Amino acid sequence: MNSLRLGRREILQKCLALGSLTILSAAFPSELIAAWEEREKLARKPTPWNELGPFYKKSAPHTASLRAPGDPGIPLSVSGQVLDVRGDIVPEAKLEIWQTDHLGHYDLDGYRYRATLISDAGGKYSFDSVMPGHYPDRVCQHIHYLVTAPGHKTITTQLYFATDPVFEGDPGRNFSREPLLASAELVRPVVLRGDPKNVFADVNFELVMERL
């Protein structure tokens, strides 16, 4: 039997004609179907899981300033937005973040380079830090994230940097050099600004949560 492959619009129109879709609105059906299609374009894949690691500590301070004045290393600003898979904003999500200093050392006694953030009404978050260093047990520079929000599945993941020398400028091809990476999705572009004597790095990292 030949199967008829219908697009989403044709399926919705057929459902409407057969009575399996009812529209309770003053808008024309074609307008609502178009709005449905636009909404589906906003759908996002959930942020991939990545190892929690052994250096997580609860109760990190609520601060967006991980970098103290005079800290060595390349200053780093990370910003992003927390959304769900339908593209809806997730406000008041709790983001726990931890990383090494520029030499690859975790603070195991205190809370340097550890923070708790809360996404704002627009789902946005940001923090200032330094570019983390490499250390013997891990191949790539990274920042850990643990993200929770009521009604959503927890995100355990890590942010990686496209400028990491390990990737040799091509994370799409070389991401597998980091054993914990299954794809290049968690490797984000880096924007450098400033001048040769004062270089700053900016990274955007969007987080997408699944609903329970």
Side-chain angles (χ1 to χ4, degrees):
M1 179 184 295
N2 292 329
S3 60
L4 182 62
R5 299 182 65 85
L6 299 176
R8 174 51 62 90
R9 178 178 289 270
E10 288 78 11
I11 291 173
L12 291 175
Q13 289 172 336
K14 189 172 183 179
C15 288
L16 185 64
L18 294 175
S20 56
L21 171 65
T22 301
I23 294 178
L24 300 178
S25 172
F28 290 109
S30 59
E31 294 175 342
L32 287 181
I33 290 174
W36 182 316
E37 291 177 326
E38 285 300 313
R39 182 74 173 188
E40 288 219 324
K41 290 179 183 178
L42 298 176
R44 288 165 163 80
K45 292 174 59 178
T47 298
W49 176 87
N50 213 222
E51 292 280 354
L52 180 70
F55 301 115
Y56 168 69
K57 291 177 67 174
K58 294 181 179 180
S59 304
H62 286 255
T63 179
S65 298
L66 283 70
R67 181 179 73 245
D71 277 0
I74 298 175
L76 169 68
S77 293
V78 180
S79 61
Q81 190 174 28
V82 186
L83 304 167
D84 67 17
V85 292
R86 299 192 303 190
D88 291 332
I89 292 166
V90 181
E92 298 185 359
K94 179 182 178 182
L95 295 84
E96 297 177 79
I97 295 162
W98 64 104
Q99 64 167 87
T100 69
D101 63 15
H102 74 296
L103 294 176
H105 301 139
Y106 283 102
D107 181 3
L108 302 180
D109 298 318
Y111 287 93
R112 289 301 316 277
Y113 299 108
R114 299 174 183 271
T116 300
L117 307 171
I118 304 296
S119 63
D120 66 15
K124 296 181 180 180
Y125 76 93
S126 63
F127 63 92
D128 293 321
S129 187
V130 298
M131 189 68 75
H134 296 87
Y135 59 94
D137 292 335
R138 286 297 303 275
V139 175
C140 290
Q141 299 164 298
H142 59 280
I143 296 177
H144 291 269
Y145 279 71
L146 182 63
V147 186
T148 54
H152 296 79
K153 295 182 180 180
T154 297
I155 292 177
T156 304
T157 195
Q158 298 180 39
L159 162 63
Y160 297 84
F161 306 93
T163 52
D164 194 316
V166 171
F167 299 130
E168 294 186 355
D170 191 353
R173 173 178 293 181
N174 297 324
F175 70 86
S176 60
R177 293 179 180 180
E178 167 55 69
L180 298 184
L181 276 176
S183 74
E185 287 184 67
L186 297 176
V187 185
R188 306 306 303 149
V190 177
V191 176
L192 296 180
R193 55 187 173 85
D195 57 60
K197 293 183 179 180
N198 294 286
V199 177
F200 297 83
D202 294 331
V203 175
N204 183 270
F205 189 41
E206 181 181 271
L207 297 154
V208 180
M209 308 189 78
E210 293 182 272
R211 295 191 176 203
L212 292 174

